[in-house]
C-alpha cells in the first residue's frame, strides 16, 4: 500500500513538473512571436534571424541614423548580439564575459552589470580569439525567477536573476586544463538549458549537455564520439540516412581509443522544433588535423544531430564530411523551414556547412534532399552522391589533388577551396518567409595545408597541420560574398562580392531588407529581392557581431556589436604578425589593419521622426 501511495505521489509531482516545463517552453514560443522583442540570440527557435518589424523598410532605410552607442569596455572579437525582453536589453562581452542589463525605457541606463571572475589562463587555450556569442533568457516559472544564462569562457554555466544580476546557480560544464572552453550561446528548451563545448584543437571529447533550469543539476549529456551509452544512441532506432547506425557506431570507425580525444565539439548554433520535439546541432572537426593519424570515418564528428530534449536520445544523424582532412567543422546553424520541394511541402532543415556544401534535409526523418556548393570556388569534392542505392550515398566525392590524406604527411597540398574556416564559419544566416530565401554570409577563401605528426598531451594544442590562406584565385579578388540561396533548388539567387569575409550574422526583416556587417566595420542594408545596396555606415571597429532589431516606444531600432576579432581578425585582436599564425588566418587577413582596429561598441540605429510620420 505504501508503495502504491508513493508511486501515485511521484506521478502527481511528475505531472506538476511537466506542466511547469510546458508553460516555460510555451512562454518562450509566445515571446518569440512578438516582433518588438528579440528574445533569442538567433531570433527564434528555428534560427531564422527574421523580424516582422517593417517601420524601417527598403524605401526609407537610406535615412537611418545612429540613435545611441555604448562602449563595452572590452576589446577582442565581439561575436553574438544583444537580446531584448520588454524594456530590457541584455548582452555579454568577449572574455571576461561581462554581462550588461540596459534599461531601454530609462535613457539606456545600465541597470546592472555582472563581472565574472575567471582565470585568465583560459585565454591561452581558446582556439580562435576570446569571442562570445550571447546570453539567453529563461522566463520565470514557479520554480525560478526570470533568468539570464551565461556560458563563460572557462565553461562555467551561470544563471543570473534577470532583475538584479545576482547569481542563482552556477555549474562547471568542462575542464579548461584539458583544453575545454566555451564560446556559444546556450539554448533554453522546456525546463532545461542546453549547451556545448569548444576545444577541438586540443583533442577533447565533444559533448552536448542539458541542465535543469531550476537548480543547474545535470539532466543528460550526449558525447559526439564513444560507445552508445555515451553518445546516447539506440543502435536499432537511431538512423543515418534512413538506416540504423548499429552498435557503438561512435567507436567503430576510430582506431583503438582515439575517440576519447576525437574532437567533435559542439560550439555552434542550436535550433528546436516544438512540434517534432527535437533539437538540432552540428559537431566539429575530428582531432588531430592530420588525417593520417586517425584512419576511418571518425564518427560522429562533422555530423548533424537530431536529439530528444528530454532524454538526449539521438533520433537521426547525418555525417557530412567523413574522415575530415581539412578542418571543415560542421557546427554552423541549422535553420528550420517548411519548403516546397518538387511540389511537396517538406519540414526542412537547411545547413550551410563549412565544407562549402549547403544541405537541405527532412528534419523529421533525416532524409538528404539537396546538397550543392554555395560558392563556385569549392573544389575539394566534385559533388555529394545523391543516389540512395549507391554505396557512396551522402558522401562527398573527394578530388585526389586536394586530399591531404592521399598526398600524405609533410606534403603541402595547395589550392584547396574553401580554406579551413570554410565557405562560412559560425556567422549565422537569415531566412525570410516572404521570399523563401536564405541570406548567407560567406568566406571566399582558399588554402595550402600541410599535415604533420603530432602527439597528444592534455591541455596542449593537438592540431598537426600548417596552413596559409588567400582569396580564391581567378575570382573577384576579395575574400567574401553575401549571397541569397534557394535551399529547395540548391542555387545562388544573387551574390554581393566583399573585400573581406563576411563574418557578421545577417538579419532579414518584413521591410524587405537584409542587414549584415563587414570586417572593415560597415553595417550594410540591401534589398532582399536583388541584393542592391540601400545603406551603409562605418562603425568604430570591424563587425563580427550579428545584426538584430527591436521596437521601443513605437520606434524600430537596429543594433549591432562591433569589435574586430574572431578567426578572421585574430591577427589584429591578438597582435599576431606571423603569416602562419592564427591557424593560417593572420597572413590571409593582413590587409584588415588598413581599414579598422580594435574596439568594443554597441551601435543602435533608427529613423529620424520625419521618416516615420
Amino acid at each position: 500500500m505504501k508503495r502504491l501511495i508513493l508511486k501515485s505521489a511521484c506521478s502527481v509531482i511528475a505531472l506538476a513538473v511537466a506542466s511547469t516545463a510546458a508553460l516555460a517552453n510555451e512562454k518562450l514560443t509566445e515571446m518569440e512571436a512578438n516582433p518588438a522583442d528579440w528574445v533569442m540570440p538567433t531570433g527564434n527557435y528555428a534560427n531564422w534571424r527574421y523580424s516582422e518589424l517593417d517601420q524601417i523598410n527598403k524605401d526609407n532605410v537610406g535615412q537611418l541614423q545612429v540613435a545611441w552607442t555604448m562602449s563595452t569596455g572590452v576589446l577582442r572579437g565581439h561575436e553574438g548580439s544583444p537580446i531584448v525582453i520588454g524594456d530590457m536589453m541584455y548582452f555579454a562581452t568577449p572574455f571576461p564575459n561581462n554581462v550588461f542589463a540596459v534599461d531601454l525605457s530609462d535613457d539606456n541606463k545600465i541597470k546592472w552589470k555582472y563581472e565574472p571572475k575567471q582565470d585568465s589562463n583560459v585565454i591561452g587555450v581558446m582556439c580562435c580569439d576570446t569571442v562570445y556569442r550571447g546570453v539567453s533568457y529563461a522566463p520565470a516559472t514557479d520554480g525560478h525567477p526570470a533568468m539570464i544564462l551565461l556560458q563563460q569562457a572557462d565553461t562555467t554555466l551561470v544563471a543570473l536573476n534577470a532583475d538584479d544580476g545576482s547569481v542563482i546557480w552556477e555549474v562547471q560544464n568542462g575542464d579548461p586544463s584539458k583544453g575545454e572552453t566555451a564560446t556559444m550561446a546556450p539554448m533554453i528548451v522546456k525546463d532545461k538549458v542546453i549547451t556545448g563545448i569548444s576545444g577541438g584543437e586540443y583533442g577533447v571529447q565533444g559533448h552536448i549537455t542539458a541542465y535543469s533550469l531550476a537548480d543547474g543539476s545535470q539532466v543528460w549529456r550526449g558525447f559526439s564520439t564513444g560507445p552508445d551509452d555515451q553518445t546516447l544512441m539506440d543502435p536499432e532506432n537511431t538512423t543515418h540516412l534512413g538506416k540504423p547506425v548499429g552498435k557503438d557506431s561512435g567507436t567503430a570507425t576510430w582506431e583503438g581509443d582515439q575517440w576519447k580525444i576525437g574532437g567533435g565539439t559542439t560550439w555552434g548554433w542550436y535550433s528546436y522544433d516544438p512540434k517534432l520535439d527535437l533539437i538540432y546541432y552540428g559537431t566539429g572537426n575530428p582531432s588531430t588535423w592530420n588525417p593520417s593519424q586517425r584512419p576511418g570515418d571518425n564518427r560522429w564528428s562533422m555530423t548533424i544531430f537530431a536529439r530528444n530534449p528530454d532524454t538526449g536520445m539521438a533520433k537521426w544523424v547525418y555525417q557530412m564530411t567523413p574522415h575530415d582532412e581539412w578542418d571543415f567543422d560542421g557546427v554552423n546553424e541549422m535553420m528550420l523551414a517548411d519548403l516546397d520541394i518538387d511540389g511537396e511541402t517538406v519540414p526542412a532543415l537547411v545547413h550551410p556547412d563549412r565544407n562549402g556544401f549547403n544541405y537541405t534535409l527532412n528534419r523529421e526523418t533525416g532524409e538528404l534532399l539537396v546538397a550543392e556548393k554555395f560558392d563556385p570556388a569549392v573544389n575539394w569534392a566534385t559533388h555529394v552522391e545523391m543516389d540512395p542505392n549507391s554505396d557512396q550515398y551522402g558522401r562527398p566525392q573527394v578530388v585526389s589533388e586536394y586530399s591531404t590524406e592521399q598526398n600524405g604527411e609533410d606534403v603541402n597540398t595547395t589550392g584547396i577551396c574553401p580554406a579551413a574556416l570554410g565557405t562560412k564559419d559560425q556567422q549565422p544566416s537569415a531566412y525570410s518567409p516572404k521570399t523563401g530565401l536564405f541570406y548567407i554570409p560567406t568566406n571566399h577563401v582558399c588554402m595550402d595545408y600541410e599535415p604533420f605528426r603530432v602527439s597528444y598531451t592534455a591541455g596542449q594544442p593537438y592540431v598537426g597541420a600548417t596552413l596559409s590562406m588567400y582569396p580564391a584565385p581567378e575570382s573577384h579578388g576579395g575574400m567574401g560574398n553575401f549571397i541569397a540561396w534557394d535551399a529547395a533548388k540548391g542555387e545562388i539567387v544573387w551574390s554581393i562580392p566583399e573585400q573581406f569575409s563576411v563574418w557578421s550574422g545577417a538579419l532579414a526583416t518584413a521591410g524587405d531588407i537584409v542587414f549584415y556587417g563587414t570586417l572593415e566595420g560597415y553595417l550594410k542594408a540591401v534589398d532582399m529581392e536583388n541584393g542592391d545596396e540601400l545603406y551603409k555606415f562605418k562603425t568604430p571597429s570591424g563587425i563580427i557581431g550579428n545584426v538584430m532589431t527591436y521596437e521601443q516606444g513605437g520606434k524600430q531600432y537596429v543594433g549591432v556589436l562591433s569589435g574586430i576579432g574572431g578567426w578572421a581578425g585574430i591577427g589584429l585582436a591578438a597582435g599576431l604578425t606571423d603569416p602562419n599564425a592564427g591557424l593560417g588566418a593572420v597572413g590571409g587577413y593582413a590587409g584588415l589593419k588598413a581599414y579598422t582596429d580594435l574596439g568594443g561598441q554597441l551601435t543602435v540605429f533608427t529613423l529620424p521622426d520625419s521618416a516615420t510620420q
Side-chain angles (χ1 to χ4, degrees):
M1 185 65 178
K2 288 183 179 179
R3 183 173 299 171
L4 179 61
I5 293 173
L6 180 59
K7 182 177 180 180
S8 299
C10 288
S11 298
V12 171
I13 293 171
L15 284 170
V17 171
S19 175
T20 302
L23 288 172
N25 201 50
E26 289 167 5
K27 180 63 175 176
L28 269 179
T29 304
E30 175 187 326
M31 292 171 67
E32 73 175 28
N34 176 13
D37 292 345
W38 191 260
V39 299
M40 300 180 191
T42 56
N44 63 6
Y45 274 131
N47 284 354
W48 282 7
R49 298 196 54 77
Y50 173 81
S51 174
E52 289 288 352
L53 296 180
D54 61 1
Q55 186 180 85
I56 300 170
N57 56 61
K58 69 178 183 180
D59 296 323
N60 61 24
V61 68
Q63 300 179 61
L64 269 190
Q65 59 188 24
V66 175
W68 60 280
T69 64
M70 177 179 167
S71 172
T72 68
V74 178
L75 301 179
R76 306 291 292 250
H78 283 61
E79 291 179 350
S81 71
I83 57 174
V84 171
I85 314 295
D87 290 331
M88 294 300 302
M89 171 185 283
Y90 305 92
F91 65 91
T93 72
F95 184 92
N97 306 131
N98 298 328
V99 181
F100 290 90
V102 177
D103 190 339
L104 301 172
S105 67
D106 188 10
D107 199 26
N108 308 311
K109 179 181 178 181
I110 300 172
K111 183 177 181 181
W112 56 259
K113 178 181 177 183
Y114 176 69
E115 299 177 273
K117 307 302 179 186
Q118 299 186 70
D119 187 341
S120 60
N121 286 330
V122 74
I123 295 174
V125 291
M126 297 187 77
C127 156
C128 312
D129 200 12
T130 59
V131 295
Y132 184 63
R133 300 187 182 93
V135 293
S136 296
Y137 175 82
T141 69
D142 293 340
H144 59 77
M147 299 189 297
I148 299 298
L149 280 301
L150 165 73
Q151 179 78 76
Q152 296 174 186
D154 65 3
T155 79
T156 305
L157 180 64
V158 185
L160 303 172
N161 188 309
D163 186 57
D164 59 18
S166 59
V167 175
I168 296 175
W169 55 258
E170 60 181 38
V171 62
Q172 198 74 15
N173 188 52
D175 182 358
S177 72
K178 297 193 302 185
E180 293 178 331
T181 56
T183 56
M184 68 167 289
M187 183 174 73
I188 311 302
V189 175
K190 299 185 178 181
D191 57 344
K192 302 172 185 67
V193 53
I194 299 173
T195 193
I197 203 77
S198 302
E201 281 59 63
Y202 288 82
V204 308
Q205 184 187 359
H207 56 74
I208 178 175
T209 308
Y211 294 96
S212 166
L213 278 171
D215 59 13
S217 58
Q218 184 174 309
V219 181
W220 55 260
R221 170 168 288 176
F223 286 90
S224 305
T225 63
D228 294 335
D229 62 346
Q230 293 192 33
T231 59
L232 303 185
M233 288 186 165
D234 183 323
E236 298 301 323
N237 294 312
T238 302
T239 61
H240 179 251
L241 295 174
K243 297 180 179 179
V245 294
K247 180 176 172 55
D248 291 332
S249 59
T251 62
T253 63
W254 291 88
E255 191 173 75
D257 287 342
Q258 284 183 331
W259 57 269
K260 293 181 178 179
I261 53 172
T265 49
T266 53
W267 48 272
W269 303 100
Y270 298 0
S271 54
Y272 172 60
D273 184 331
K275 182 178 178 181
L276 297 176
D277 199 23
L278 291 172
I279 55 173
Y280 305 92
Y281 68 98
T283 63
N285 60 283
S287 301
T288 160
W289 287 19
N290 179 357
S292 299
Q293 289 186 242
R294 43 171 177 77
D297 278 358
N298 309 136
R299 291 180 171 177
W300 295 102
S301 66
M302 318 300 266
T303 297
I304 299 173
F305 271 82
R307 289 191 186 272
N308 180 292
D310 294 318
T311 64
M313 184 61 67
K315 179 177 181 181
W316 59 259
V317 291
Y318 169 55
Q319 188 178 38
M320 298 163 289
T321 314
H323 187 59
D324 169 54
E325 307 171 37
W326 311 269
D327 182 46
F328 291 154
D329 272 20
V331 302
N332 297 349
E333 67 279 8
M334 312 291 163
M335 296 172 284
L336 314 181
D338 295 337
L339 302 180
D340 186 335
I341 299 178
D342 296 330
E344 180 181 351
T345 300
V346 176
L349 177 152
V350 177
H351 171 74
D353 195 63
R354 282 258 288 266
N355 70 14
F357 287 88
N358 200 317
Y359 297 88
T360 304
L361 297 95
N362 183 312
R363 66 177 181 268
E364 182 174 9
T365 65
E367 177 188 0
L368 181 61
L369 304 171
V370 179
E372 296 290 345
K373 297 175 182 179
F374 62 109
D375 185 341
V378 173
N379 64 12
W380 68 276
T382 57
H383 66 284
V384 173
E385 180 55 59
M386 298 298 290
D387 181 0
N389 297 315
S390 170
D391 63 359
Q392 295 292 299
Y393 177 44
R395 297 179 73 95
Q397 300 304 289
V398 176
V399 176
S400 296
E401 180 183 355
Y402 304 116
S403 169
T404 67
E405 164 116 46
Q406 293 179 44
N407 293 335
E409 292 179 343
D410 303 317
V411 174
N412 191 29
T413 300
T414 62
I416 305 167
C417 306
L421 41 65
T423 298
K424 74 178 295 296
D425 202 292
Q426 59 75 39
Q427 59 270 43
S429 311
Y431 168 71
S432 169
K434 292 185 71 173
T435 63
L437 298 178
F438 296 79
Y439 300 94
I440 306 175
T442 74
N443 311 312
H444 192 55
V445 185
C446 302
M447 69 175 173
D448 301 339
Y449 188 114
E450 182 175 347
F452 59 85
R453 190 143 296 255
V454 63
S455 298
Y456 172 76
T457 302
Q460 298 299 312
Y462 188 51
V463 179
T466 301
L467 283 66
S468 60
M469 301 185 191
Y470 41 85
E474 301 178 3
S475 186
H476 61 73
M479 301 178 75
N481 293 280
F482 186 75
I483 71 170
W485 177 260
D486 185 326
K489 297 179 180 178
E491 296 177 352
I492 297 172
V493 177
W494 51 254
S495 178
I496 303 170
E498 289 286 352
Q499 182 171 359
F500 297 103
S501 295
V502 185
W503 211 267
S504 158
L507 168 72
T509 75
D512 300 317
I513 308 167
V514 185
F515 293 92
Y516 68 96
T518 73
L519 284 173
E520 302 101 307
Y522 285 104
L523 173 74
K524 293 189 175 185
V526 301
D527 188 316
M528 66 166 50
E529 291 285 351
N530 54 32
D532 289 348
E533 185 176 294
L534 304 171
Y535 174 81
K536 72 175 182 178
F537 178 90
K538 193 168 187 183
T539 66
S541 186
I543 298 177
I544 63 170
N546 307 327
V547 192
M548 52 79 69
T549 188
Y550 66 95
E551 184 181 281
Q552 175 68 22
K555 295 196 71 172
Q556 181 183 356
Y557 295 85
V558 173
V560 68
L561 289 165
S562 59
I564 194 65
W567 194 354
I570 189 65
L572 277 174
L576 305 176
T577 57
D578 179 352
N580 291 324
L583 301 172
V586 172
Y589 294 86
L592 261 179
K593 63 184 178 183
Y595 295 89
T596 192
D597 210 334
L598 299 182
Q601 177 172 302
L602 172 66
T603 307
V604 179
F605 302 80
T606 195
L607 293 169
D609 290 340
S610 59
T612 60
Q613 294 173 351

